[in-house]
Amino acid sequence: MFAVLESVRETCLGLVESLPVAEGRTFVVEGERIAVFRGRDGSVYAVQAQCPHQGGPLAEGVTGGCTVTCPLHSWKFDLASGACLNDPEHRLRTYPVRLAEGLVYVSLDGGG
Ligand code: FES
């Protein structure tokens, strides 16, 4: 279920409940692949889907708290800030997420 809200350029990714807890899922939004994670505390994060190291699929990584560990070479990233905890010269692009009435909305604008 996708719906683009023109005025704020948000895309609805569907129900929060459809996201597995403590796992990632990849979506394609406006042609861009993003990885979306739902934490055990209910937080939802959206970041670029490919690891900046060698393109590992971050949605398949291991999550813990607010971090994801890339499945290829184990670089760890903070999902909120995008910071790489192994090498400060690398970071993930992050995207604003809004939760409303049980739905997840992501915006490609204003990401960091
Ligand atoms: S591709 Fe992600 S750590 Fe190497």
Side-chain angles (χ1 to χ4, degrees):
M1 174 172 67
F2 290 84
V4 177
L5 304 177
E6 293 295 332
S7 61
V8 291
R9 289 183 47 89
E10 286 184 324
T11 299
C12 181
L13 302 181
L15 292 168
V16 176
E17 296 297 322
S18 69
L19 297 172
V21 175
E23 291 182 21
R25 181 162 288 170
T26 302
F27 292 86
V28 178
V29 177
E30 297 180 33
E32 196 159 336
R33 292 170 57 82
I34 63 171
V36 178
F37 299 87
R38 177 180 170 210
R40 293 188 191 285
D41 66 354
S43 301
V44 177
Y45 304 97
V47 300
Q48 68 185 63
Q50 292 183 301
C51 178
H53 180 221
Q54 291 182 5
L58 292 174
E60 297 175 22
V62 175
T63 60
C66 182
T67 64
V68 63
T69 301
C70 179
L72 293 193
H73 310 102
S74 301
W75 283 16
K76 191 180 236 183
F77 299 91
D78 183 294
L79 291 169
S81 69
C84 177
L85 305 181
N86 300 82
D87 183 344
E89 291 194 14
H90 295 275
R91 69 182 310 110
L92 300 178
R93 184 169 185 202
T94 61
Y95 302 98
V97 173
R98 183 172 66 88
L99 305 178
E101 299 179 3
L103 296 169
V104 180
Y105 296 89
V106 66
S107 171
L108 297 190
D109 299 330

